[in-house]
Amino acid sequence: MTYAFQFGVLNQYRDQLLAGLWLTVEISAVSIVAGTAFGIVLASLRSMAGRGTRIAVDTYVELIRNTPFLVQLFLIYFGLPAAGLRVGAVTAALIGMTVNLAAYSTEIVRSGIEAVHRSQIEAGEALGLTQVQVYRHVVLLPAIQKVYPALCSQFVLMMLASSICSAISTGELTAAAAFVQSQSYRSFEVYLAATALYLALALGLRGMLALLGLWLFGRRAARRALVPVVEASA
Amino acid sequence: MFQSFRGVVMAAALACAAVLPASPAGAVTLAEIQGRGAVRIGVLTGAPPNGMIDENGNPSGYDVDVANVLGRYLALPVKLVPLTPPARIPALQTGQVDFLIATLAPTGERAKTVMFTTPYSAFDLVVVTTPDKTFAKADDLKGKHVAVNRGSSQEAALRRAAIPGVEIVVYEDDSTSVQAVLSGQVDCAIVPSTVAQGVIKQMPGAMKQDFTFFSQGNSMATLLGDFELHQYLNTAIYVMKVSGELDRISVKWTGSPLPPNLPTF
């Protein structure tokens, strides 16, 4: 069987596809920033506060990491209105992605914090740094530097997982592709185009994160953000 | 799976076409059918409740009941030939069936290849909503959020209607559209009436059915030029309508009688 590709058809749906692409960029950017911020705060709280807080944070992290993203989205989109709070499809997507990414980044940052050796903290204290200074310069920043590649991978995964939000009628790239497909019946062309756009977005995001890493941590961390490698020796 | 099955059916239809005389089968007269001692009727499978296969593997549904009534009118045993949607018209053209009762919607394009009777069933797309809202006509949807199933005929009909200010919210299936109504994410949904009946039965008091957005009639079909059979079937449909038999079948499978305002021809 031969299939005659007609990519020209996509041209008349360019606006819909670009609008979907833009929404994907927007919800990914907002949820990455917010999710990472929450993740750092929760991981720090967990390492400093008492047993109750640690159990609460761990419960949240394991609950989110061990349930499907789609189910989380359905609970937010269909469940919150039942509780009297109506959220739109874009808001629900933002909440869902932020909640999801916050859990993963909490876990990633936690592993970085726990990898900081006790003797380093003692060295900081011996130098006369305040508790806040020790936490900031000796614990948190080196911790984030260590786990930066893992965080970057999680960001890209979250951006790609935003396609799941099409199931709750968020008009992102996958939803736009599905709309074009249902109108034009050119599924191969549409989904190949969507694949290319996602690939470009992922590579672009990796490039930006590498630049950010270069600015924050210097050359080595940046290289690992671009091409994540399993740390064997570090 | 379905794609390949459809492929097999199409291949089988083409193979039959090659074996049978090259020209399309000629018109079948009533005398020929009676002489043969059985009437062969093509019915649809895989389209509940109109045509499907029951637990015992036999064809069942709205179309099958209508076929059996016709068998009684003709005083002949009915030989049901189960068909998939793309195999319906080829099966008729190659003479495997005498006529079709297969939920075939009359269209201008199809009317160039087969002759349609007056509609004997209708496929209703209805507006469902929560009890606190009321939608009586298409204009009431202005400025509302309306849920439809992606790529469905209700989505196409809603886009075609181009109601000003209507926000079309697309979900992956009918049940998600219904869920969106229940949780207040949209004002209403357009679903097949059979789906609406099922939902209302499951959650009485939470959902109700409002106006019929779009009604699509289905016709029986005979070969082009088969006027004798065509006229017989049209007469039979008329008799079924006035005797109430068609309404009883409709109530049995769809929960409501045949739409009274369904146009005929």
Side-chain angles (χ1 to χ4, degrees):
Chain A
M1 184 180 131
T2 55
Y3 184 84
F5 283 97
Q6 290 185 21
F7 283 98
V9 176
L10 297 185
N11 206 32
Q12 54 179 307
Y13 297 105
R14 202 180 45 204
D15 291 348
Q16 282 96 331
L17 287 173
L18 286 179
L21 180 71
W22 181 237
L23 189 60
T24 292
V25 170
E26 281 182 323
I27 58 177
S28 301
V30 173
S31 62
I32 285 171
V33 171
T36 313
F38 281 122
I40 292 172
V41 168
L42 287 178
S44 303
L45 269 179
R46 188 190 174 284
S47 72
M48 289 185 292
R51 214 171 96 98
T53 312
R54 200 176 68 230
I55 291 172
V57 171
D58 285 354
T59 307
Y60 161 69
V61 168
E62 295 312 319
L63 196 67
I64 295 297
R65 292 206 317 151
N66 293 293
T67 51
F69 182 48
L70 181 63
V71 175
Q72 296 164 12
L73 276 179
F74 276 154
L75 281 178
I76 293 165
Y77 183 68
F78 291 126
L80 285 186
L85 183 68
R86 186 177 157 172
V87 288
V90 174
T91 316
L94 276 175
I95 295 174
M97 288 169 71
T98 302
V99 165
N100 188 279
L101 186 61
Y104 279 93
S105 57
T106 301
E107 180 66 3
I108 294 170
V109 175
R110 177 197 65 78
S111 69
I113 290 175
E114 288 182 0
V116 175
H117 203 274
R118 178 81 206 139
S119 61
Q120 264 181 287
I121 298 167
E122 283 165 1
E125 284 164 352
L127 284 171
L129 298 180
T130 64
Q131 283 239 300
V132 175
Q133 284 172 322
V134 168
Y135 192 74
R136 184 175 161 203
H137 296 288
V138 181
V139 179
L140 194 56
L141 280 177
I144 292 176
Q145 180 174 356
K146 277 199 187 71
V147 298
Y148 190 64
L151 275 178
C152 292
S153 286
Q154 199 59 48
F155 295 163
V156 172
L157 285 176
M158 192 74 253
M159 188 277 287
L160 296 177
S162 70
S163 63
I164 297 174
C165 301
S166 61
I168 55 164
S169 80
T170 310
E172 45 67 68
L173 181 52
T174 301
F179 168 77
V180 176
Q181 191 274 334
S182 73
Q183 297 288 304
S184 67
Y185 300 99
R186 288 270 155 204
S187 15
F188 281 126
E189 288 87 339
V190 175
Y191 288 116
L192 281 174
T195 305
L197 289 172
Y198 274 116
L199 185 63
L201 272 186
L203 294 178
L205 180 58
R206 277 206 189 284
M208 276 172 47
L209 291 168
L211 286 177
L212 184 68
L214 191 67
W215 179 62
L216 285 173
F217 312 116
R219 202 140 40 115
R220 195 155 154 266
R223 201 184 62 236
R224 286 186 297 155
L226 200 56
V227 186
V229 287
V230 179
E231 285 193 57
S233 55
Chain B
M1 163 71 190
F2 180 68
Q3 288 284 335
S4 65
F5 179 63
R6 194 157 66 178
V8 169
V9 172
M10 284 302 274
L14 286 173
C16 290
V19 172
L20 292 166
S23 59
V28 208
T29 62
L30 280 170
E32 276 167 15
I33 293 174
Q34 262 148 358
R36 202 195 302 128
V39 57
R40 294 169 309 170
I41 304 176
V43 293
L44 195 60
T45 54
N50 290 36
M52 56 208 167
I53 302 289
D54 68 11
E55 313 87 74
N56 306 320
N58 299 316
S60 117
Y62 190 119
D63 291 351
V64 174
D65 282 4
V66 173
N68 286 327
V69 171
L70 267 170
R72 206 175 68 232
Y73 286 2
L74 286 164
L76 284 174
V78 176
K79 190 168 171 289
L80 295 169
V81 181
L83 300 168
T84 58
R88 288 177 294 185
I89 291 177
L92 180 62
Q93 288 175 323
T94 55
Q96 296 173 57
V97 298
D98 296 321
F99 54 92
L100 295 172
I101 306 181
T103 314
L104 195 64
T107 66
E109 201 55 39
R110 286 174 178 165
K112 293 175 191 164
T113 55
V114 295
M115 278 204 299
F116 286 105
T117 65
T118 200
Y120 71 94
S121 80
F123 190 66
D124 275 354
L125 297 166
V126 299
V127 172
V128 289
T129 186
T130 44
D132 56 319
K133 300 191 185 78
T134 299
F135 298 96
K137 55 189 185 302
D139 267 1
D140 293 351
L141 299 177
K142 267 184 194 164
K144 301 292 182 189
H145 288 68
V146 184
V148 286
N149 175 4
R150 194 189 307 286
S152 60
S153 48
Q154 52 267 41
E155 185 192 359
L158 186 57
R159 290 196 192 282
R160 207 166 44 232
I163 300 160
V166 72
E167 186 82 34
I168 302 173
V169 188
V170 182
Y171 295 99
E172 300 303 318
D173 48 34
D174 286 324
S175 56
T176 315
S177 299
V178 168
Q179 183 55 54
V181 177
L182 284 172
S183 57
Q185 289 290 3
V186 294
D187 297 300
C188 60
I190 300 179
V191 295
S193 60
T194 45
V195 173
Q197 301 296 333
V199 175
I200 292 164
K201 199 184 283 177
Q202 285 293 318
M203 354 187 71
M207 288 290 266
K208 70 182 176 70
Q209 180 179 327
D210 277 4
F211 76 99
T212 299
F213 182 74
F214 180 71
S215 190
Q216 175 188 287
N218 301 303
S219 292
M220 302 179 193
T222 67
L223 281 173
L224 277 185
D226 212 346
F227 289 102
E228 186 185 313
L229 194 54
H230 180 259
Q231 188 55 31
Y232 178 83
L233 293 176
N234 263 342
T235 312
I237 291 167
Y238 168 78
V239 173
M240 270 184 234
K241 276 181 178 168
V242 293
S243 71
E245 277 169 301
L246 205 50
D247 271 343
R248 274 198 296 279
I249 294 172
S250 184
V251 168
K252 174 180 169 190
W253 292 104
T254 70
S256 50
L258 212 57
N261 54 352
L262 187 69
T264 56
F265 57 89

